[in-house]
Amino acid sequence: MLDRRGVVAGLGAAAVAGLVPSRLWAAAIKPDDASALLVIDVQNCFLPGGSLAVKDGEQVVPVINKIAKSFANVVMTQDWHTPGHVSFASAHSGKKPFETIDLAYGKQVLWPDHCVQGTDGAALSKDLAIPQAELIIRKGFHQDVDSYSAFTEADGKTTTGLAAYLKARNVTRLFVAGLATDFCVAWTALDARKAGFETYVVEDACRGIDTQGSLAKAWADMDKAGVKRIKSSDIA
Ligand code: VGL
Ligand code: ZN
């Protein structure tokens, strides 16, 4: 009888022979020491009851906890804004959340106040169970510049230091999960590609905000940039 490894090996041979859809063959992805899981912004403000709650956001937590067990390297991010941050609608008279404005560095979506430094809303979810996480990168802490990406602020030049950290640790392959798919997850994945990392987004470990077509655009941009879209069940 074939054991599980035999089945997987058999599938691999069949996939090479073109007999199995590539979707099935993707089941063999095994994170190694050169792989890191990036857990993006799983913070109370983005969860039910939060000021910028992402629909079904809480559903990513058990999925992330499960896949994290396959990773020796985990980095988390925390959106970490000043009070009155430039990305808050409340900082611009006459503006409402989800409207956009033009700032020096480009178009900015305006948000409800969220993830203010040191508040309970900015805290990581207490349900995350990833004790081995090595680093928490905070971002968006410059009053006049937003930062969806874990790598580079919205001015397109100020770095968080994450790429240098990962390269110093010999990490080459990144798996991105968390909130929200169409903002911080997508911008992080796109910058990861720009920095030369092999990049996967684990789609069932993410949820999106989806304002003004942002979710479809994010997936299209990621696809074009060579970000690989996988499911948590693809990770061994
Ligand atoms: C995020 C909007 C504003 C995110 C952060 O984590 O995706 N979205 N700040
Ligand atoms: Zn934010």
Side-chain angles (χ1 to χ4, degrees), residues 46 79 81 87-88 111 114-115 146 148:
F46 300 121
D79 212 33
H81 298 309
S87 72
F88 296 173
W111 304 106
H114 66 280
C115 296
D146 204 0
Y148 297 143

Side-chain angles (χ1 to χ4, degrees), residues 15 51 55 80 85 88 132 160 164 210 222 236:
S51 59
K55 187 172 183 291
W80 199 248
H85 190 257
F88 296 173
Q132 79 274 30
T160 65
D210 203 10
M222 289 192 279

Side-chain angles (χ1 to χ4, degrees), residues 4 7 22 26 69 203:
R4 192 167 172 279
V7 170
S22 58
K69 292 185 197 301
E203 66 172 334

Side-chain angles (χ1 to χ4, degrees), residues 137-149:
I137 285 273
R138 289 173 169 170
K139 61 184 180 63
F141 49 76
H142 289 128
Q143 171 79 2
D144 297 320
V145 187
D146 204 0
S147 191
Y148 297 143
S149 166

Side-chain angles (χ1 to χ4, degrees), residues 30 56 153 171:
K30 192 162 173 44
D56 299 329
E153 297 188 15
V171 171

